[in-house]
Amino acid sequence: MGLTFQSTQSCSLADIFQIDKKEQQNVIALAGNPNTGKSTVFNVLTGLHQHTGNWPGKTVVNASGKYKYNGSDNILVDLPGTYSLFASSAEEEVARDFICFGNSDAVIIVCDATCLERNLNLVFQVMELTDKVVLCINLIDEARKKNIQIDAKGIEKELGIPVVLCAARNGTGIRELKETVNKVAAGVMKPKPNTVLYDNNIEDRINSIKPVMEEYGRGINSRWLALRVMDGDKKLLESIFSNINPEVFKETFHTVRASEVQADKMNIRDEITKQLYKKAEEITDKYVKKDVSKSDRDRKIDNYITSGIFGIPLMLLVLAFIFWVTVSGANIPSSMIAGLLFRLEDKLTLLSNNLNAPGWLHGILILGLFRTMAWVISVMLPPMAIFFPLFTILEDLGYLPRVAFNLDHLFKKACAHGKQCLTMCMGFGCNAAGIVSCRIIESPRERMIAILTNNFVPCNGRFPTLIAVSSIFLAAKAGTGFGILPALSVTGLVIIGIAVTLLVSYGLSKTLLKGIPSTFTLELPPYRIPQIGRVLYTSIIDRTMFVLWRAVIVAAPAGIITWILANIYIGDLSIIGHTATILNPFAKLIGLDGYILTAFLLGLPANEIVLPILLMSYLSTGTMIEFESMESLRSILLEHGWTHLTALNVMLFCLLHWPCATTLLTIKKETGSIKWTALAAVIPTGIAIAVCFITSIIFRISGRA
Amino acid sequence: MLKLDDVSVGKNVTVNDLSSTELLRERMLALGLTKGARIEVIRKGPSGDPTVYNIRGAMIALRKEEASLVSVVPF
């Protein structure tokens, strides 16, 4: 996926990264390391007027927003958080290409005041690309608490670019930042970056290549381009120099390369980075004063959070608490939304009767489309609106990376990344959101593993099915609510899901994903107090609404199709009835029946409608219905021949079967590959069938079926 | 040659050389594991792996496999 040679050749990079702007509007890029509070700076500058999406053809978030200051209109583009611009990941590539090809009028680099040395590496790299740089040293409040003193004036003099000290959280320094950015964008202030000088060997070669770069480099900084020719970023160079006649291109680069035989890419990169960091070290030694005794608060907290004794129990408690709040808190709003939407359905029915609409139209639009959507929204929305903000709070607090750290040894045994446990947790909310969250795993192989196995944690669309079926068949007395035995069995199913995840992860990394590169580095950011406003905004807009919208567009047509299939009769059976009859022999083999399998197939768009479809087919009502009580559901299922084996296998199949359509679409988007999407459906389906087949054989042999 | 994964908690070392390649090498360099960089071993995870290091003021966890690719000398 991503940019093919074809698309880059015609210099489409410039098209992708050009931001539409009116005259007198400034484009400002916001760059920085991860965990520097960059998004807080972004939010403080733009307010809530932002637009998020993906960079074309990339699974990298593209957020932009507008702000006005002193009569000038600014478009702020939030670049992905990166440690470097050497384009070793999709994020780094986007950040670099935007600074290269985006028509930005200024670049703000956000740094963490408590970790300046590491952050300066990126600052130097950006300074090599453009002069219009403003350094924003953020989290200055946190630094003061840790007794870190920063001499901004000194750093400004040393770097040759304006430096602003900020604490974006409480607005400190934001006015000054806006003022400085305006001046730089307008050309009133002209920064003169003191870029790092490398040793003579490298500098000589830079100077020998520079003239060619000046001639053909499309206005991109020639010193920077010369460095890239030397450390060999082929893809970038080909796209920049695509306007040169290919023969001349080849020749030019051949001569340039031939003149530096001894220079292999690895050594040059090492040398460049070493020099950049050396300079960063010098500057921080000179201008940052630290009182070490006060800076170990995080370590004290970590003594508990990541300790061998407390770490894992604490984590289980926190997660259990979040799930409990989500499940118990979602019931009331769920039934309220359901009540509201179903009352609206009655009104719509009345309206269509008054308009004398034909029965089939009423069926398709109201009993099919509307009812399915109402179902999906009322089941999905409340738990997600509770779960995602809670999860985001843990994320902002800095707790989640510690969870990944604590559990990494388990995931390592399965050849997976510790962060996969976070994507799995997200999967409990919604598998599609879980798959998007796999972006936090930088290592390509482990990211793919996490994407392909996310489906084995049951999402909140499948939990109701698991809970209903286990309550009916395991509660001592039906109708007594959710007892201890069903709770245990649902927990057992979750554990089976996790076990399958780990097994499949192991299998994938030893077979299909063998050879795909893998790295493990995990930053544990300082603990920070989350900002509730931002948490609510990002989790509601970015996660909840995103997932809900996708679910609705998939579920709406599915509602229509299901209604049609249930209401068109051939002979004395509906199409669903016929399908069930055809599937029955195979379904029986794996301990289910034809109707159950049909319901799972029709439930592809959204798992929450599986049980309603099943009841509709069993009772031949033609529209989806909710069961009135556990007792009535129990008797319907028993009448249709359900045994303990059927119940067990329905739960297992529900846990292990193919992902829903929303999830599959998301996998397609994230991997950009039909092949991986197909595998993401085939692997779980195969496992579900195999497991159900085995359990039914065991039941038969032991004479219990 | 001393490897980073052999260094015990609380000790300080400096980087001598990296034997990682490609993506991992790029990442290690980006995080500041350049020759001469000082590293403090902060703590080990609940089961002894991964280990948290202080690399240029940031807390970075590396697995044993990754840390063994960093050769170091005592500070």
Side-chain angles (χ1 to χ4, degrees), chain B residues 38-64:
Chain B
R38 189 174 150 187
I39 304 177
E40 180 196 354
V41 186
I42 299 181
R43 72 170 70 248
K44 296 204 175 277
S47 76
D49 190 48
T51 305
V52 187
Y53 301 96
N54 177 356
I55 302 171
R56 305 206 180 254
M59 302 223 263
I60 309 285
L62 298 177
R63 285 179 178 170
K64 204 170 165 49

PDB file of all heavy atoms in Angstrom, chain B residues 38-64:
ATOM      1  N   ARG B  38      24.866   8.073  27.168  1.00  0.00           N
ATOM      2  CA  ARG B  38      24.822   7.476  28.501  1.00  0.00           C
ATOM      3  C   ARG B  38      23.465   6.808  28.729  1.00  0.00           C
ATOM      4  O   ARG B  38      22.421   7.363  28.384  1.00  0.00           O
ATOM      5  CB  ARG B  38      25.037   8.586  29.522  1.00  0.00           C
ATOM      6  CG  ARG B  38      25.221   8.052  30.902  1.00  0.00           C
ATOM      7  CD  ARG B  38      25.576   9.205  31.824  1.00  0.00           C
ATOM      8  NE  ARG B  38      25.066   8.894  33.145  1.00  0.00           N
ATOM      9  CZ  ARG B  38      25.089   9.758  34.146  1.00  0.00           C
ATOM     10  NH1 ARG B  38      25.543  10.974  33.967  1.00  0.00           N
ATOM     11  NH2 ARG B  38      24.631   9.395  35.331  1.00  0.00           N
ATOM     12  N   ILE B  39      23.487   5.612  29.291  1.00  0.00           N
ATOM     13  CA  ILE B  39      22.243   4.895  29.581  1.00  0.00           C
ATOM     14  C   ILE B  39      22.237   4.479  31.047  1.00  0.00           C
ATOM     15  O   ILE B  39      23.229   3.976  31.556  1.00  0.00           O
ATOM     16  CB  ILE B  39      22.120   3.597  28.742  1.00  0.00           C
ATOM     17  CG1 ILE B  39      22.235   3.901  27.256  1.00  0.00           C
ATOM     18  CG2 ILE B  39      20.795   2.893  29.030  1.00  0.00           C
ATOM     19  CD1 ILE B  39      22.195   2.655  26.406  1.00  0.00           C
ATOM     20  N   GLU B  40      21.098   4.695  31.697  1.00  0.00           N
ATOM     21  CA  GLU B  40      20.946   4.226  33.065  1.00  0.00           C
ATOM     22  C   GLU B  40      19.920   3.089  33.055  1.00  0.00           C
ATOM     23  O   GLU B  40      18.871   3.204  32.418  1.00  0.00           O
ATOM     24  CB  GLU B  40      20.447   5.384  33.935  1.00  0.00           C
ATOM     25  CG  GLU B  40      20.248   5.000  35.383  1.00  0.00           C
ATOM     26  CD  GLU B  40      19.404   6.022  36.139  1.00  0.00           C
ATOM     27  OE1 GLU B  40      19.083   7.078  35.557  1.00  0.00           O
ATOM     28  OE2 GLU B  40      19.053   5.730  37.296  1.00  0.00           O
ATOM     29  N   VAL B  41      20.246   1.996  33.725  1.00  0.00           N
ATOM     30  CA  VAL B  41      19.297   0.887  33.785  1.00  0.00           C
ATOM     31  C   VAL B  41      18.342   1.156  34.947  1.00  0.00           C
ATOM     32  O   VAL B  41      18.774   1.199  36.103  1.00  0.00           O
ATOM     33  CB  VAL B  41      20.014  -0.457  33.993  1.00  0.00           C
ATOM     34  CG1 VAL B  41      19.020  -1.604  33.901  1.00  0.00           C
ATOM     35  CG2 VAL B  41      21.110  -0.626  32.949  1.00  0.00           C
ATOM     36  N   ILE B  42      17.063   1.368  34.670  1.00  0.00           N
ATOM     37  CA  ILE B  42      16.143   1.791  35.727  1.00  0.00           C
ATOM     38  C   ILE B  42      15.481   0.617  36.447  1.00  0.00           C
ATOM     39  O   ILE B  42      15.549   0.497  37.654  1.00  0.00           O
ATOM     40  CB  ILE B  42      15.056   2.731  35.174  1.00  0.00           C
ATOM     41  CG1 ILE B  42      15.712   3.982  34.589  1.00  0.00           C
ATOM     42  CG2 ILE B  42      14.090   3.132  36.285  1.00  0.00           C
ATOM     43  CD1 ILE B  42      14.733   4.973  34.036  1.00  0.00           C
ATOM     44  N   ARG B  43      14.812  -0.234  35.707  1.00  0.00           N
ATOM     45  CA  ARG B  43      14.144  -1.357  36.377  1.00  0.00           C
ATOM     46  C   ARG B  43      13.819  -2.451  35.384  1.00  0.00           C
ATOM     47  O   ARG B  43      13.808  -2.227  34.179  1.00  0.00           O
ATOM     48  CB  ARG B  43      12.856  -0.900  37.053  1.00  0.00           C
ATOM     49  CG  ARG B  43      11.733  -0.576  36.050  1.00  0.00           C
ATOM     50  CD  ARG B  43      10.412  -0.361  36.718  1.00  0.00           C
ATOM     51  NE  ARG B  43      10.399   0.864  37.473  1.00  0.00           N
ATOM     52  CZ  ARG B  43      10.340   0.919  38.793  1.00  0.00           C
ATOM     53  NH1 ARG B  43      10.266  -0.182  39.493  1.00  0.00           N
ATOM     54  NH2 ARG B  43      10.335   2.085  39.408  1.00  0.00           N
ATOM     55  N   LYS B  44      13.531  -3.632  35.932  1.00  0.00           N
ATOM     56  CA  LYS B  44      13.100  -4.735  35.084  1.00  0.00           C
ATOM     57  C   LYS B  44      11.602  -4.931  35.252  1.00  0.00           C
ATOM     58  O   LYS B  44      11.040  -4.565  36.284  1.00  0.00           O
ATOM     59  CB  LYS B  44      13.853  -6.007  35.456  1.00  0.00           C
ATOM     60  CG  LYS B  44      15.344  -5.877  35.194  1.00  0.00           C
ATOM     61  CD  LYS B  44      16.006  -7.217  34.988  1.00  0.00           C
ATOM     62  CE  LYS B  44      17.469  -7.061  34.616  1.00  0.00           C
ATOM     63  NZ  LYS B  44      17.685  -6.807  33.195  1.00  0.00           N
ATOM     64  N   GLY B  45      10.950  -5.489  34.239  1.00  0.00           N
ATOM     65  CA  GLY B  45       9.512  -5.728  34.294  1.00  0.00           C
ATOM     66  C   GLY B  45       9.173  -6.833  35.271  1.00  0.00           C
ATOM     67  O   GLY B  45      10.064  -7.506  35.796  1.00  0.00           O
ATOM     68  N   PRO B  46       7.874  -7.050  35.535  1.00  0.00           N
ATOM     69  CA  PRO B  46       7.426  -8.023  36.530  1.00  0.00           C
ATOM     70  C   PRO B  46       8.071  -9.410  36.363  1.00  0.00           C
ATOM     71  O   PRO B  46       8.295 -10.102  37.344  1.00  0.00           O
ATOM     72  CB  PRO B  46       5.920  -8.096  36.305  1.00  0.00           C
ATOM     73  CG  PRO B  46       5.568  -6.772  35.756  1.00  0.00           C
ATOM     74  CD  PRO B  46       6.750  -6.330  34.937  1.00  0.00           C
ATOM     75  N   SER B  47       8.396  -9.817  35.148  1.00  0.00           N
ATOM     76  CA  SER B  47       8.992 -11.143  35.007  1.00  0.00           C
ATOM     77  C   SER B  47      10.457 -11.033  34.586  1.00  0.00           C
ATOM     78  O   SER B  47      11.024 -11.982  34.069  1.00  0.00           O
ATOM     79  CB  SER B  47       8.204 -11.961  33.985  1.00  0.00           C
ATOM     80  OG  SER B  47       8.545 -11.513  32.713  1.00  0.00           O
ATOM     81  N   GLY B  48      11.049  -9.864  34.750  1.00  0.00           N
ATOM     82  CA  GLY B  48      12.464  -9.709  34.441  1.00  0.00           C
ATOM     83  C   GLY B  48      12.748  -9.213  33.032  1.00  0.00           C
ATOM     84  O   GLY B  48      13.884  -8.980  32.662  1.00  0.00           O
ATOM     85  N   ASP B  49      11.706  -9.061  32.239  1.00  0.00           N
ATOM     86  CA  ASP B  49      11.875  -8.592  30.865  1.00  0.00           C
ATOM     87  C   ASP B  49      10.556  -7.979  30.434  1.00  0.00           C
ATOM     88  O   ASP B  49       9.513  -8.506  30.796  1.00  0.00           O
ATOM     89  CB  ASP B  49      12.226  -9.783  29.952  1.00  0.00           C
ATOM     90  CG  ASP B  49      12.645  -9.340  28.565  1.00  0.00           C
ATOM     91  OD1 ASP B  49      13.477  -8.436  28.472  1.00  0.00           O
ATOM     92  OD2 ASP B  49      12.123  -9.897  27.586  1.00  0.00           O
ATOM     93  N   PRO B  50      10.492  -6.911  29.694  1.00  0.00           N
ATOM     94  CA  PRO B  50      11.602  -6.047  29.258  1.00  0.00           C
ATOM     95  C   PRO B  50      12.193  -5.223  30.398  1.00  0.00           C
ATOM     96  O   PRO B  50      11.740  -5.311  31.538  1.00  0.00           O
ATOM     97  CB  PRO B  50      10.923  -5.128  28.243  1.00  0.00           C
ATOM     98  CG  PRO B  50       9.463  -5.298  28.389  1.00  0.00           C
ATOM     99  CD  PRO B  50       9.199  -6.463  29.258  1.00  0.00           C
ATOM    100  N   THR B  51      13.186  -4.416  30.068  1.00  0.00           N
ATOM    101  CA  THR B  51      13.855  -3.571  31.045  1.00  0.00           C
ATOM    102  C   THR B  51      13.685  -2.110  30.634  1.00  0.00           C
ATOM    103  O   THR B  51      13.708  -1.808  29.443  1.00  0.00           O
ATOM    104  CB  THR B  51      15.353  -3.931  31.090  1.00  0.00           C
ATOM    105  OG1 THR B  51      15.471  -5.317  31.346  1.00  0.00           O
ATOM    106  CG2 THR B  51      16.072  -3.152  32.178  1.00  0.00           C
ATOM    107  N   VAL B  52      13.493  -1.245  31.637  1.00  0.00           N
ATOM    108  CA  VAL B  52      13.349   0.192  31.345  1.00  0.00           C
ATOM    109  C   VAL B  52      14.710   0.869  31.474  1.00  0.00           C
ATOM    110  O   VAL B  52      15.428   0.645  32.445  1.00  0.00           O
ATOM    111  CB  VAL B  52      12.378   0.874  32.326  1.00  0.00           C
ATOM    112  CG1 VAL B  52      12.118   2.306  31.883  1.00  0.00           C
ATOM    113  CG2 VAL B  52      11.083   0.119  32.414  1.00  0.00           C
ATOM    114  N   TYR B  53      15.051   1.658  30.476  1.00  0.00           N
ATOM    115  CA  TYR B  53      16.305   2.400  30.493  1.00  0.00           C
ATOM    116  C   TYR B  53      16.022   3.887  30.427  1.00  0.00           C
ATOM    117  O   TYR B  53      15.038   4.307  29.821  1.00  0.00           O
ATOM    118  CB  TYR B  53      17.172   2.004  29.283  1.00  0.00           C
ATOM    119  CG  TYR B  53      17.503   0.541  29.244  1.00  0.00           C
ATOM    120  CD1 TYR B  53      16.734  -0.340  28.471  1.00  0.00           C
ATOM    121  CD2 TYR B  53      18.570   0.029  29.970  1.00  0.00           C
ATOM    122  CE1 TYR B  53      17.032  -1.694  28.440  1.00  0.00           C
ATOM    123  CE2 TYR B  53      18.868  -1.321  29.937  1.00  0.00           C
ATOM    124  CZ  TYR B  53      18.102  -2.183  29.174  1.00  0.00           C
ATOM    125  OH  TYR B  53      18.385  -3.511  29.144  1.00  0.00           O
ATOM    126  N   ASN B  54      16.897   4.659  31.042  1.00  0.00           N
ATOM    127  CA  ASN B  54      16.834   6.109  30.869  1.00  0.00           C
ATOM    128  C   ASN B  54      17.762   6.459  29.710  1.00  0.00           C
ATOM    129  O   ASN B  54      18.975   6.388  29.831  1.00  0.00           O
ATOM    130  CB  ASN B  54      17.278   6.800  32.158  1.00  0.00           C
ATOM    131  CG  ASN B  54      17.312   8.303  32.020  1.00  0.00           C
ATOM    132  OD1 ASN B  54      17.081   8.844  30.935  1.00  0.00           O
ATOM    133  ND2 ASN B  54      17.622   8.980  33.108  1.00  0.00           N
ATOM    134  N   ILE B  55      17.147   6.776  28.577  1.00  0.00           N
ATOM    135  CA  ILE B  55      17.929   7.128  27.398  1.00  0.00           C
ATOM    136  C   ILE B  55      17.671   8.591  27.078  1.00  0.00           C
ATOM    137  O   ILE B  55      16.573   8.955  26.687  1.00  0.00           O
ATOM    138  CB  ILE B  55      17.557   6.232  26.199  1.00  0.00           C
ATOM    139  CG1 ILE B  55      17.782   4.768  26.548  1.00  0.00           C
ATOM    140  CG2 ILE B  55      18.370   6.627  24.973  1.00  0.00           C
ATOM    141  CD1 ILE B  55      17.252   3.795  25.526  1.00  0.00           C
ATOM    142  N   ARG B  56      18.638   9.424  27.300  1.00  0.00           N
ATOM    143  CA  ARG B  56      18.550  10.864  27.040  1.00  0.00           C
ATOM    144  C   ARG B  56      17.319  11.489  27.692  1.00  0.00           C
ATOM    145  O   ARG B  56      16.563  12.221  27.056  1.00  0.00           O
ATOM    146  CB  ARG B  56      18.572  11.131  25.549  1.00  0.00           C
ATOM    147  CG  ARG B  56      19.789  10.503  24.879  1.00  0.00           C
ATOM    148  CD  ARG B  56      20.183  11.216  23.634  1.00  0.00           C
ATOM    149  NE  ARG B  56      21.349  10.586  23.017  1.00  0.00           N
ATOM    150  CZ  ARG B  56      22.570  11.100  23.051  1.00  0.00           C
ATOM    151  NH1 ARG B  56      22.807  12.222  23.685  1.00  0.00           N
ATOM    152  NH2 ARG B  56      23.567  10.480  22.452  1.00  0.00           N
ATOM    153  N   GLY B  57      17.071  11.100  28.921  1.00  0.00           N
ATOM    154  CA  GLY B  57      15.993  11.721  29.674  1.00  0.00           C
ATOM    155  C   GLY B  57      14.630  11.090  29.486  1.00  0.00           C
ATOM    156  O   GLY B  57      13.678  11.475  30.135  1.00  0.00           O
ATOM    157  N   ALA B  58      14.511  10.124  28.582  1.00  0.00           N
ATOM    158  CA  ALA B  58      13.229   9.453  28.385  1.00  0.00           C
ATOM    159  C   ALA B  58      13.319   8.027  28.909  1.00  0.00           C
ATOM    160  O   ALA B  58      14.386   7.431  28.908  1.00  0.00           O
ATOM    161  CB  ALA B  58      12.864   9.448  26.907  1.00  0.00           C
ATOM    162  N   MET B  59      12.181   7.511  29.375  1.00  0.00           N
ATOM    163  CA  MET B  59      12.159   6.126  29.844  1.00  0.00           C
ATOM    164  C   MET B  59      11.747   5.220  28.693  1.00  0.00           C
ATOM    165  O   MET B  59      10.605   5.291  28.216  1.00  0.00           O
ATOM    166  CB  MET B  59      11.165   5.976  30.979  1.00  0.00           C
ATOM    167  CG  MET B  59      11.476   6.889  32.130  1.00  0.00           C
ATOM    168  SD  MET B  59      11.282   6.009  33.662  1.00  0.00           S
ATOM    169  CE  MET B  59       9.660   6.486  34.103  1.00  0.00           C
ATOM    170  N   ILE B  60      12.671   4.383  28.256  1.00  0.00           N
ATOM    171  CA  ILE B  60      12.414   3.521  27.112  1.00  0.00           C
ATOM    172  C   ILE B  60      12.584   2.068  27.544  1.00  0.00           C
ATOM    173  O   ILE B  60      13.593   1.708  28.151  1.00  0.00           O
ATOM    174  CB  ILE B  60      13.406   3.802  25.961  1.00  0.00           C
ATOM    175  CG1 ILE B  60      13.456   5.288  25.622  1.00  0.00           C
ATOM    176  CG2 ILE B  60      13.085   2.947  24.754  1.00  0.00           C
ATOM    177  CD1 ILE B  60      12.280   5.811  24.855  1.00  0.00           C
ATOM    178  N   ALA B  61      11.569   1.235  27.240  1.00  0.00           N
ATOM    179  CA  ALA B  61      11.678  -0.183  27.558  1.00  0.00           C
ATOM    180  C   ALA B  61      12.190  -0.932  26.336  1.00  0.00           C
ATOM    181  O   ALA B  61      11.733  -0.695  25.220  1.00  0.00           O
ATOM    182  CB  ALA B  61      10.317  -0.728  27.975  1.00  0.00           C
ATOM    183  N   LEU B  62      13.174  -1.795  26.569  1.00  0.00           N
ATOM    184  CA  LEU B  62      13.687  -2.655  25.494  1.00  0.00           C
ATOM    185  C   LEU B  62      13.617  -4.096  25.970  1.00  0.00           C
ATOM    186  O   LEU B  62      13.808  -4.381  27.154  1.00  0.00           O
ATOM    187  CB  LEU B  62      15.147  -2.321  25.171  1.00  0.00           C
ATOM    188  CG  LEU B  62      15.472  -0.920  24.659  1.00  0.00           C
ATOM    189  CD1 LEU B  62      16.983  -0.781  24.481  1.00  0.00           C
ATOM    190  CD2 LEU B  62      14.770  -0.653  23.338  1.00  0.00           C
ATOM    191  N   ARG B  63      13.362  -4.997  25.036  1.00  0.00           N
ATOM    192  CA  ARG B  63      13.410  -6.412  25.382  1.00  0.00           C
ATOM    193  C   ARG B  63      14.866  -6.866  25.406  1.00  0.00           C
ATOM    194  O   ARG B  63      15.732  -6.210  24.843  1.00  0.00           O
ATOM    195  CB  ARG B  63      12.647  -7.230  24.346  1.00  0.00           C
ATOM    196  CG  ARG B  63      11.149  -7.134  24.470  1.00  0.00           C
ATOM    197  CD  ARG B  63      10.515  -7.960  23.375  1.00  0.00           C
ATOM    198  NE  ARG B  63       9.063  -7.944  23.465  1.00  0.00           N
ATOM    199  CZ  ARG B  63       8.276  -8.431  22.508  1.00  0.00           C
ATOM    200  NH1 ARG B  63       8.816  -8.954  21.405  1.00  0.00           N
ATOM    201  NH2 ARG B  63       6.970  -8.410  22.644  1.00  0.00           N
ATOM    202  N   LYS B  64      15.054  -8.033  26.020  1.00  0.00           N
ATOM    203  CA  LYS B  64      16.394  -8.610  26.103  1.00  0.00           C
ATOM    204  C   LYS B  64      17.025  -8.722  24.706  1.00  0.00           C
ATOM    205  O   LYS B  64      18.192  -8.385  24.519  1.00  0.00           O
ATOM    206  CB  LYS B  64      16.267 -10.001  26.723  1.00  0.00           C
ATOM    207  CG  LYS B  64      17.506 -10.499  27.391  1.00  0.00           C
ATOM    208  CD  LYS B  64      17.189 -11.776  28.168  1.00  0.00           C
ATOM    209  CE  LYS B  64      18.467 -12.512  28.559  1.00  0.00           C
ATOM    210  NZ  LYS B  64      19.482 -11.662  29.174  1.00  0.00           N
TER     211      LYS B  64
END
